[in-house]
Amino acid sequence: MKTLDLKKDLKHLYASTKKTPILVEVPKMKFIMFDGKGHPNDPDFQLAAEAIYTISYLLKFEIARKKHNIDYKVMPMEVIWNLDRTSKISFTWTMMIMQPSFITDEMFKEAIEISIQKEKNIEYKRLRFEEYEEGLCVQNFHLGDYNKMNDTLDSMISFAKEKSLEYAIDTHDIYLNDVRKTKTENLKTIMRIKVNKK
């Protein structure tokens, strides 16, 4: 069986532990995506996580391994956050999981059908499979409490300003471990903001 090591192949994007901001170029990749709104503790966030992980694991075990003799580790959860400050602070977001390049839209649809056959109670109609190219970004590794991520974000924004780069308001966080099973001080997150040259 062929085994892919996606984190190793994309180490600078998915395994970097650089605690100071760096510039990275993020290429076009394939993702399962789920749009939602509200705080991470709200039900919609949990529905999204259940849906994208269910389909990601069905793609891995039922399609990639059984039909194509290819194995790989499911990639970590990622969330693109949009903070709306127009009235009271509210969140809209896109949760996603990167997929290997050989995964096709037909395979994604097949995984959806398998989930229905297995009577998985997920919000499959809100899922989509898309290519996404993030391009030039400032990236920074954050270790510890999620509530202190704004400090890391501030340093990323300062870095962008020093480089005379325009930066996006949206933030992109990649959660490298499971908050339910990890001590707060050991939480690992890769943070990104899109930037453009002025």
Side-chain angles (χ1 to χ4, degrees), residues 89-106:
I89 293 177
S90 63
F91 296 95
T92 57
W93 41 261
T94 298
M95 186 184 295
M96 55 198 200
I97 293 180
M98 194 270 277
Q99 304 298 315
S101 60
F102 74 90
I103 298 294
T104 64
D105 189 57
E106 289 71 25

Side-chain angles (χ1 to χ4, degrees), residues 16-17 25 27 47 68 93 118 162 168 172 183:
S16 173
T17 55
E25 186 72 34
L47 289 173
H68 298 275
W93 41 261
K118 290 179 175 287
E162 289 169 6
H172 180 175
K183 292 181 179 179

Side-chain angles (χ1 to χ4, degrees), residues 56-76:
S56 292
Y57 277 104
L58 286 173
L59 278 168
K60 169 187 164 75
F61 287 109
E62 299 293 333
I63 297 174
R65 291 188 67 175
K66 288 185 179 180
K67 297 188 176 183
H68 298 275
N69 204 36
I70 301 175
D71 194 20
Y72 56 89
K73 289 184 179 180
V74 171
M75 294 295 279

Side-chain angles (χ1 to χ4, degrees), residues 2-61:
K2 181 180 179 180
T3 301
L4 304 178
D5 192 339
L6 302 176
K7 276 193 174 181
K8 183 179 179 181
D9 293 342
L10 296 166
K11 184 177 180 180
H12 65 299
L13 299 177
Y14 285 95
S16 173
T17 55
K18 291 186 180 295
K19 295 181 181 179
T20 55
I22 58 172
L23 283 173
V24 294
E25 186 72 34
V26 186
K28 184 183 293 183
M29 295 183 285
K30 296 178 178 180
F31 293 88
I32 295 174
M33 296 181 167
F34 189 114
D35 296 323
K37 60 183 179 180
H39 191 274
N41 292 330
D42 292 345
D44 210 37
F45 200 82
Q46 309 310 315
L47 289 173
E50 184 177 12
I52 63 169
Y53 274 111
T54 295
I55 299 304
S56 292
Y57 277 104
L58 286 173
L59 278 168
K60 169 187 164 75
F61 287 109

